[in-house]
Amino acid sequence: MEQDSRATWEFNGSFHQPSAFLMLGIPGLEALHPWISIPFCALYLTALLGNCMILFIIRRTQSLHEPMYYFLCMLAVTDLGLALCTLPTTLGLFWFNLRSIGFDACLAQMYFIHILSFIESSVLLAMAFDRFIAISRPLRHPSILTKATVTKIGLAIVLRGMVSLLPIPFLLKRLTYCGKTELSHSFCFHPDIMNLACADIKVNVFYGMIILLSTVGMDFIFIVLSYILIIKTVVSLATKEECLKALNTCVSHICAVLVFFIPMIGLSMIHRFGKNVPPLVNTLVAYTYLLIPPALNPVIYSIKSSHIREALLRALRRSSGADW
């Protein structure tokens, strides 16, 4: 039986705050949610197993203890976090029609989704920098990106995401909410919550835009610049074989960048400027943004990276040999 679509309200001093928000699945296809959950389960399973496999293989294979694969571990951990952030509310809605999420729980989920998205963007930038150093300064690559340097980069990435987004939950808590409590997705997203307020949201819009442009926007610009420098370096190589070999090491990363940034930019544009976009399009872009990168990244790197593929085959042979 469908839950009551009304949310109770709390009066806090001079502003109103809902005790809960109501999440939305696929608009117009509510009756098919149990069937729609099947591909979602497949994507979540692929994301969880695939990224755990990447972490396991890199940890067990000494030859993969290099900067490129350390950054890949960071990407896998981030993708695991993104999948786990949305899994309970998405499958809870599809399987059991659990639409309600508490106000504070919603803010917490939103905070972690955005932090992990910002971390993924920064990790992709660090991976682009790693590829540039590996191609342009191959002999100095191990001395430039030492294990200590990679650790410091990882800590800086996490701190940058946490600190830049820390004001967002407090900016949302100060707003007055009245009337509408239905979100556009089965998870909590900053523009989505912000647009439910009946107070002035100029500060939220301005701060959100500044943070997005100064973090994810700058990351994307520097990734593009890194590849311009990589192409410039590759073109100067002596033979065509060397050129293709150098570019081939970047293919997995380019795919990961496109898979992450295209839906993210699309979703940001829809929330800010796409008032007349059909709800179904908005929903599909949102799910693409949060589900496809965690599921596809381990598949992309397993297919394109011969080192990971060989390590995976060795692990499978060992496990099959142990069974016999």
Side-chain angles (χ1 to χ4, degrees):
M1 186 175 177
E2 188 171 340
Q3 291 184 355
D4 191 351
S5 60
R6 294 169 298 175
T8 57
W9 291 82
E10 294 175 357
F11 180 72
N12 296 317
S14 60
F15 62 94
H16 292 277
Q17 215 172 70
S19 60
F21 288 117
L22 296 171
M23 295 176 295
L24 188 67
I26 310 289
L29 300 174
E30 288 80 5
L32 299 176
H33 277 174
W35 293 104
I36 292 170
S37 71
I38 295 172
F40 277 82
C41 289
L43 285 171
Y44 278 122
L45 196 62
T46 303
L48 296 176
L49 293 179
N51 287 295
C52 286
M53 179 200 71
I54 292 286
L55 292 171
F56 175 77
I57 287 172
I58 292 174
R59 186 177 183 275
R60 289 286 299 270
T61 309
Q62 193 66 34
S63 61
L64 298 183
H65 291 185
E66 298 175 359
M68 173 183 173
Y69 297 103
Y70 291 144
F71 288 127
L72 182 56
C73 282
M74 294 181 199
L75 188 68
V77 170
T78 306
D79 284 336
L80 278 172
L82 271 174
L84 291 171
C85 268
T86 59
L87 186 150
T89 52
T90 300
L91 294 187
L93 190 148
F94 286 156
W95 285 348
F96 308 111
N97 199 33
L98 299 175
R99 297 186 61 202
S100 180
I101 181 169
F103 183 80
D104 291 329
C106 187
L107 294 186
Q109 186 192 45
M110 174 216 68
Y111 181 63
F112 283 108
I113 286 173
H114 286 293
I115 279 182
L116 290 165
S117 296
F118 280 30
I119 288 173
E120 180 140 352
S121 169
S122 301
V123 170
L124 289 170
L125 171 60
M127 294 173 87
F129 176 68
D130 168 70
R131 290 298 82 211
F132 169 66
I133 297 297
I135 291 170
S136 63
R137 304 281 190 275
L139 297 178
R140 294 186 59 199
H141 180 245
S143 61
I144 293 173
L145 286 174
T146 61
K147 191 179 286 188
T149 304
V150 171
T151 303
K152 288 174 185 175
I153 290 171
L155 289 172
I157 286 170
V158 173
L159 284 172
R160 179 203 192 198
M162 290 177 66
V163 171
S164 62
L165 289 165
L166 190 60
I168 294 290
F170 299 101
L171 288 172
L172 289 170
K173 279 184 79 74
R174 72 179 182 87
L175 296 174
T176 298
Y177 300 85
C178 44
K180 195 176 178 184
T181 59
E182 195 171 74
L183 301 170
S184 302
H185 314 293
S186 60
F187 55 85
C188 298
F189 196 62
H190 174 238
D192 207 15
I193 302 170
M194 178 180 70
N195 289 331
L196 294 178
C198 52
D200 187 357
I201 58 171
K202 286 178 185 175
V203 173
N204 296 68
V205 172
F206 181 75
Y207 185 78
M209 187 65 75
I210 291 296
I211 290 300
L212 188 66
L213 292 175
S214 63
T215 53
V216 178
M218 292 303 296
D219 290 346
F220 184 72
I221 290 169
F222 283 123
I223 288 170
V224 172
L225 288 175
S226 296
Y227 273 102
I228 291 171
L229 293 173
I230 286 170
I231 291 168
K232 192 176 177 182
T233 304
V234 165
V235 168
S236 66
L237 293 175
T239 65
K240 187 179 179 181
E241 287 74 19
E242 286 179 330
C243 180
L244 291 174
K245 187 179 178 181
L247 285 175
N248 193 50
T249 64
C250 302
V251 172
S252 300
H253 180 255
I254 291 169
C255 291
V257 168
L258 294 175
V259 163
F260 176 75
F261 278 101
I262 289 174
M264 185 184 199
I265 293 168
L267 185 61
S268 298
M269 293 300 102
I270 286 171
H271 271 285
R272 282 168 176 81
F273 309 112
K275 301 297 181 184
N276 299 319
V277 172
L280 184 60
V281 174
N282 183 9
T283 302
L284 291 176
V285 173
Y287 284 128
T288 302
Y289 160 55
L290 284 177
L291 281 179
I292 298 302
L296 276 190
N297 284 340
V299 175
I300 290 168
Y301 277 94
S302 298
I303 292 172
K304 287 302 299 176
S305 172
S306 58
H307 298 294
I308 290 179
R309 197 166 59 247
E310 288 164 9
L312 175 60
L313 291 172
R314 282 197 300 270
L316 290 172
R317 285 194 207 104
R318 280 199 299 268
S319 63
S320 62
D323 290 340
W324 285 101

